[in-house]
Amino acid sequence: MDFGKIRRTTSVSKPKNPIEIFKTLPSLDGAPNDLWSGQGEALREWDKARNQGDVVLSLTTGAGKTVVGLLIAQSLVNEGVRNVVYLCSTNDLVAQTSEEARKIGIGHTTRSYGKWSNDLFETEKGFCITNYAALFNGHSTIARRHRPEAIIFDDAHVAESVMRDAFTLKIKNDDHAVLFRAITTLFADDFTSMAIGSRFEKAAGKGGGEMVMATPRAMISRANQLRQIIDSHGREYKDLAYASAHLSDHLAACSMVISDGQLEIAPPFVPTLALRGFQSDVRRVYLSATLQSQVEFVRAFGRIPSTVIQPETDAGNGERLILDGRELDGGFGPDFVRRLTKLRKAVVAVPSYGKANRWGGLATPPKVANFTEELNSFRKAHNGVFTLVSRADGIDLPADACRIMVMDGLPTGSSLLERFQYEFLEMQSAQDRRIAGRVTQLFGRINRGRNDYGVFLIEGKELGIWLGRDRSVALLPALLRKQVIVGRNVQDDMGIGTPDKAMDIAEAVLNRDQGWVDFYREEVRGADLEDGVVERAEEAEAGLVKAALAEAQYALAMWEADFSKARQHLESVASDTELADTRLSGWHEVWIAATHDAEGDAAAANDHYSIAAKRLPTYLKLPKHAATIASIGRQAESDPFVEQMLRLTSSADVTGYEKALRRVRDDLGAIDAGSTRQAEAGVRRLGELLGYVSTRPDNDNLGTGPDVAWEDQDKRSILGFELKTDKVPATASYSKKKDIGQGHDHLQWLADNYPEHTRHGLIYVGPDGPIESQANPAANMWLCTTARMVDLRNEWLALVGDIRGLTPAARPERLKVISDSGDWALESLIRRLGAAFVVKQ
């Protein structure tokens, strides 16, 4: 037997450096000759940080991040890291990424629709390209049998909604009739007890236009019954198996929203940190086209990245003309687009299939199975329309593939919980960073290189209003922000109010009219928002990031049934959250209350439900305060001033009372010891403690309205405040335009939003100083020095001490006498706080 014929084994060292790997790849048809400068920089920086747990590579749209991700995946395989997984948001993108890997000669495995393409991954000879759901569903084969040691998240900027879907049980009356009826029957009494039984019935039916959310208390008390109902239908409804595997043992930690004949059960915050892929021994690489804000990254992944690599590149920095259809007679509807696309192509982007119906005469959204085929046909066509439904990533239509996009509707997401927060709880500020990311991605679908250009037509009210708000636009990347401003100027100065004029300017852009080209290049350099708008958005970012981190830790603790720890996480950032976003702080209070309900402490839960009710719209119905009112006196039930004081002073737990009082003192201390934004939060908090519905319209309504408003709902009256505490006392004065002119706008806002209320006017809070002689303040404008506001605060705090010193039985009666005196009513407070402006001599 001749063993000499057998080939000798040789050991070849595989390169780990991703750039060296690229150099060793075969020269195949369609493969790039070299890496772009931005790709090379990204790979060099990642190689230095390769051992870190969470590394973000942010490359703008069109900068070639897929090739970067594939080289990193191969580098990790060559290093010996086991079970490297490359995640895409859809199966369509899995196929596109696999084709990209084939073009450059990298061997790999794909897993789509439950099937492996080959055994390279299973034999640890290659990485696997698959979708997020394949790894994070409740029955994931990859997670159970091939625990990844490294994960590459492509399109990480859109991952939050994908991760949320993995933890969302979607039950529709049309598809799961028996189960839907069983669950709605189980919760019907809860909605009836809160006097919204009719609203619930409309939400459970189709086309009623209502949304309702079950209270956390109802979810906790019915969790076992709910689990039995869902489990009993498990075999009947196979499509629910993946989400129910995650949720079955954690239903008490979930929310439930019902609308339009469907319901969704999901945790209020995504428990990403409970997944094995996010443990400390897994390396994670996130590929993102934009990382303008870290808030949504944290909400998706539960952490701040250890390293952010953001190469300088002008890929994706194409030219855009953005026009708002609200300024046009008839808008940019189907008739306009039909006329525009006789010889051209356009993509119509809509957030839902309901919106897509309006465009059915031009194009029908492709079915999932036919999506790639129909998109490729559109790429090759000379004219026509292609409809994108709720899709902001993974669609590349550069250069002549398409130069027109119609954006019809605000991309708020398809989750019922997200819609409920945005549409009914008015949590626009909390959602805006998410929307900004989606809007940015939409603009990148047909505009993907520095020499690219296109026309973007904003149709419908929602997105037009969103882009019309400076506070929203401030969240966009700098170039896109400038392009929005240029578009506004073009429409205003050229008077584009008819279809013909809009058609003319679109044709000028698409035909490369030299006048337009010169104008754009000059204008886009200097265009931007007014001073302070971007800075204010950046200032709020820190508080919102802290809030998102606390939400992630809360979700993990609730998943582990550690209710006290969960509560501590949200309470630890309560002041920062309230400063950044009052509505979000109210939402946190709902889920702090849930931790007390989970521990069986209804009284403590009710206190937090009460706080939440004052910070969120009355549309959200929360548990009533009967248990607490019984312990503090019936007088509190109809008198918000009495109720608020008794809630603070009636605790039998001395330590708990002192802790709550310290929190109140800290909150109110910002009135004279904090920044202007912190002072706003302090004045808002004082109004809340006085029993008013106290809001921050300018902050929470995205730049409209006064800084603070105190509303007496019983008397249907309201008073506004404008904070000027940033003025220097020695030189303080109040100008005609910036101060008094702004005040007139705020009075108009109050009139527009509270037409049936008695509107007491506007109080400026700031240092004493004169008003410019040219200014014309309204009769119901006053100046309150910061010192007078501090005196009011101190008087209230002194009252707290006096009431606490009384016996529990004596407190309600004494407070009722004080309340009936009217000393704390809005009319009295105006006399105590406000003084007429003095004209500058």
Side-chain angles (χ1 to χ4, degrees):
M1 189 173 291
D2 186 2
F3 287 95
K5 295 180 180 179
I6 300 177
R7 185 175 55 191
R8 295 292 191 267
T9 302
T10 58
S11 177
V12 178
S13 178
K14 296 180 180 179
K16 291 192 298 181
N17 183 296
I19 295 178
E20 293 302 315
I21 292 173
F22 179 81
K23 293 177 181 178
T24 66
L25 296 177
S27 299
L28 302 176
D29 289 342
N33 294 322
D34 205 350
L35 294 171
W36 297 337
S37 61
Q39 292 173 316
E41 182 183 345
L43 290 170
R44 281 189 291 273
E45 291 301 312
W46 174 80
D47 196 39
K48 296 175 185 176
R50 65 186 302 135
N51 292 318
Q52 295 187 22
D54 295 274
V55 180
V56 170
L57 288 94
S58 182
L59 291 94
T60 56
T61 297
K65 62 182 175 60
T66 301
V67 169
V68 169
L70 293 170
L71 290 169
I72 287 173
Q74 189 60 50
S75 173
L76 291 166
V77 171
N78 289 0
E79 182 186 334
V81 177
R82 299 181 61 200
N83 301 332
V84 179
V85 177
Y86 186 114
L87 297 182
C88 304
S89 56
T90 66
N91 281 328
D92 185 58
L93 289 173
V94 170
Q96 289 185 37
T97 305
S98 175
E99 177 62 16
E100 194 76 23
R102 186 199 63 76
K103 283 182 180 178
I104 62 176
I106 292 182
H108 63 283
T109 296
T110 64
R111 183 172 174 84
S112 299
Y113 306 104
K115 296 181 179 180
W116 303 102
S117 63
N118 55 48
D119 66 358
L120 288 177
F121 177 74
E122 294 174 287
T123 57
E124 300 182 4
K125 293 181 175 65
F127 58 90
C128 177
I129 303 173
T130 189
N131 59 62
Y132 282 77
L135 180 60
F136 296 126
N137 77 72
H139 293 296
S140 171
T141 297
I142 299 175
R144 286 185 288 113
R145 300 180 186 174
H146 309 280
R147 184 172 180 268
E149 293 184 357
I151 305 172
I152 292 99
F153 297 85
D154 203 353
D155 291 323
H157 46 274
V158 298
E160 197 269 349
S161 60
V162 180
M163 299 295 290
R164 176 168 291 285
D165 278 348
F167 287 92
T168 300
L169 200 57
K170 301 180 180 183
I171 300 170
K172 300 180 180 181
N173 193 20
D174 288 348
D175 301 331
H176 320 93
V178 176
L179 178 57
F180 182 85
R181 285 196 297 272
I183 294 175
T184 51
T185 299
L186 176 65
F187 284 87
D189 288 346
D190 181 59
F191 293 107
T192 301
S193 69
M194 293 187 296
I196 56 170
S198 175
R199 189 189 300 172
F200 159 71
E201 290 175 3
K202 290 179 181 177
K206 292 200 72 175
E210 293 283 2
M211 297 187 85
V212 293
M213 186 184 89
T215 64
R217 180 170 294 170
M219 293 296 291
I220 291 166
S221 65
R222 293 164 172 78
N224 288 332
Q225 293 170 275
L226 180 59
R227 183 177 65 251
Q228 290 174 352
I229 290 172
I230 293 171
D231 288 349
S232 68
H233 292 84
R235 293 180 181 177
E236 185 179 353
Y237 303 120
K238 303 285 188 184
D239 58 316
L240 304 178
Y242 292 137
S244 62
H246 280 313
L247 302 185
S248 184
D249 291 325
H250 307 286
L251 293 168
C254 290
S255 67
M256 181 173 74
V257 180
I258 306 172
S259 179
D260 198 27
Q262 57 185 321
L263 65 85
E264 289 184 3
I265 300 170
F269 314 109
V270 183
T272 305
L273 297 179
L275 296 168
R276 292 178 65 182
F278 290 87
Q279 294 179 359
S280 59
D281 59 344
V282 178
R283 281 190 252 176
R284 289 166 293 272
V285 179
Y286 309 89
L287 306 176
S288 175
T290 177
L291 195 65
Q292 188 73 5
S293 167
Q294 287 193 339
V295 176
E296 292 313 304
F297 181 92
V298 174
R299 288 214 166 105
F301 303 113
R303 63 195 71 227
I304 293 176
S306 49
T307 298
V308 176
I309 300 168
Q310 197 162 6
E312 287 289 335
T313 174
D314 57 4
N317 291 344
E319 170 197 306
R320 299 181 179 103
L321 172 65
I322 302 168
L323 299 177
D324 185 349
R326 293 180 303 148
E327 305 297 324
L328 192 74
D329 292 339
F332 294 127
D335 290 341
F336 182 91
V337 174
R338 182 178 290 107
R339 179 181 167 192
L340 184 62
T341 56
K342 285 181 179 179
L343 300 175
R344 298 188 182 279
K345 294 188 289 184
V347 168
V348 175
V350 294
S352 67
Y353 283 96
K355 276 278 189 186
N357 291 337
R358 181 189 180 203
W359 300 89
L362 290 173
T364 301
K367 296 185 181 300
V368 174
N370 303 329
F371 185 89
T372 300
E373 180 183 350
E374 292 192 31
L375 181 61
N376 286 334
S377 296
F378 176 75
R379 286 190 175 105
K380 298 172 185 176
H382 296 292
N383 67 317
V385 177
F386 186 87
T387 307
L388 281 179
V389 179
S390 189
R391 187 77 179 263
D393 64 295
I395 307 300
D396 301 340
L397 294 166
D400 289 334
C402 187
R403 295 197 183 278
I404 302 169
M405 173 174 273
V406 182
M407 301 162 76
D408 182 9
L410 193 66
T412 54
S414 57
S415 153
L416 288 186
L417 180 60
E418 191 176 332
R419 282 183 48 212
F420 184 68
Q421 290 175 321
Y422 192 88
E423 298 173 18
F424 290 86
L425 300 189
E426 301 173 15
M427 293 175 64
Q428 287 94 339
S429 184
Q431 298 274 24
D432 258 8
R433 282 164 171 77
R434 178 179 298 158
I435 292 171
R438 291 171 181 163
V439 168
T440 301
Q441 285 306 299
L442 278 176
F443 276 109
R445 295 310 94 216
I446 69 165
N447 195 283
R448 306 184 59 79
R450 61 172 301 190
N451 295 320
D452 211 344
Y453 56 90
V455 175
F456 295 80
L457 308 176
I458 310 303
E459 171 63 355
K461 181 179 178 181
E462 300 95 338
L463 182 55
I465 288 177
W466 193 90
L467 287 171
R469 293 187 182 121
D470 287 355
R471 294 277 290 279
S472 305
V473 177
L475 302 174
L476 300 174
L479 177 61
L480 183 53
R481 191 166 68 230
K482 292 173 181 287
Q483 290 168 336
V484 171
I485 303 303
V486 169
R488 290 180 188 174
N489 295 340
V490 167
Q491 285 195 263
D492 291 344
D493 295 345
M494 296 185 69
I496 301 174
T498 67
D500 286 344
K501 286 188 176 182
M503 196 72 66
D504 289 344
I505 188 65
E507 291 293 341
V509 173
L510 298 173
N511 291 327
R512 312 314 294 142
D513 179 275
Q514 193 59 45
W516 158 255
V517 173
D518 293 341
F519 168 81
Y520 174 84
R521 289 175 181 170
E522 184 64 30
E523 285 298 304
V524 81
R525 295 173 188 166
D528 213 337
L529 300 171
E530 292 183 3
D531 292 343
V533 179
V534 175
E535 290 75 7
R536 186 165 180 140
E538 292 172 348
E539 187 180 352
E541 173 85 356
L544 293 173
V545 168
K546 287 182 181 179
L549 287 168
E551 291 166 3
Q553 293 295 334
Y554 173 96
L556 176 61
M558 289 297 284
W559 233 237
E560 296 172 344
D562 191 337
F563 308 119
S564 175
K565 187 175 181 180
R567 180 166 60 247
Q568 289 169 12
H569 284 300
L570 290 187
E571 289 180 336
S572 70
V573 298
S575 294
D576 290 315
T577 305
E578 185 184 352
L579 173 62
D581 187 340
T582 308
R583 295 276 194 253
L584 181 61
S585 73
W587 183 245
H588 282 190
E589 291 292 338
V590 171
W591 299 103
I592 290 173
T595 65
H596 288 294
D597 270 335
E599 293 173 334
D601 189 347
N606 286 341
D607 285 341
H608 289 280
Y609 285 132
S610 176
I611 295 172
K614 292 186 179 302
R615 297 180 185 178
L616 293 167
T618 55
Y619 191 92
L620 177 64
K621 296 300 180 183
L622 296 168
K624 297 182 182 299
H625 308 139
T628 303
I629 290 169
S631 67
I632 65 178
R634 300 300 304 180
Q635 293 94 328
E637 188 170 13
S638 59
D639 192 323
F641 175 84
V642 176
E643 178 187 337
Q644 285 295 317
M645 183 64 78
L646 288 178
R647 288 187 186 286
L648 178 61
T649 59
S650 296
S651 174
D653 178 6
V654 175
T655 301
Y657 163 73
E658 292 175 347
K659 179 182 176 183
L661 185 58
R662 279 197 302 273
R663 164 80 186 280
V664 166
R665 288 184 180 277
D666 288 344
D667 290 346
L668 300 185
I671 292 173
D672 59 334
S675 66
T676 299
R677 288 186 70 248
Q678 291 169 331
E680 290 172 14
V683 172
R684 191 214 65 79
R685 181 74 165 120
L686 178 58
E688 181 179 80
L689 293 165
L690 293 176
Y692 298 112
V693 175
S694 188
T695 57
R696 292 173 65 198
D698 182 55
N699 186 75
D700 300 333
N701 290 323
L702 310 173
T704 58
D707 290 329
V708 181
W710 292 356
E711 179 193 2
D712 186 329
Q713 288 191 326
D714 292 335
K715 295 182 179 179
R716 296 179 68 80
S717 62
I718 192 165
L719 174 64
F721 295 87
E722 186 68 11
L723 277 289
K724 300 294 182 181
T725 55
D726 56 341
K727 290 182 181 291
V728 178
T731 58
S733 65
Y734 295 82
S735 68
K736 173 183 177 181
K737 182 178 180 181
K738 186 173 181 181
D739 296 320
I740 304 306
Q742 185 182 54
H744 284 289
D745 290 341
H746 295 339
L747 291 177
Q748 186 60 51
W749 184 91
L750 290 170
D752 292 341
N753 288 273
Y754 297 90
E756 305 299 325
H757 280 52
T758 298
R759 298 178 296 281
H760 292 293
L762 184 70
I763 293 180
Y764 291 79
V765 181
D768 202 2
I771 187 174
E772 287 182 354
S773 58
Q774 305 95 329
N776 185 28
N780 56 349
M781 289 181 182
W782 302 275
L783 174 62
C784 168
T785 63
T786 307
R788 281 203 298 274
M789 184 62 76
V790 168
D791 287 343
L792 184 72
R793 173 196 70 192
N794 292 343
E795 184 180 347
W796 183 85
L797 286 170
L799 180 61
V800 170
D802 291 344
I803 298 300
R804 178 68 178 178
L806 299 175
T807 64
R811 289 169 189 154
E813 183 178 354
R814 175 61 181 153
L815 280 170
K816 191 63 178 172
V817 171
I818 294 171
S819 180
D820 288 345
S821 73
D823 288 346
W824 298 92
L826 289 181
E827 299 89 335
S828 297
L829 293 178
I830 292 171
R831 292 192 293 270
R832 294 164 68 181
L833 293 175
F837 282 102
V838 176
V839 177
K840 184 185 293 185
Q841 300 299 321

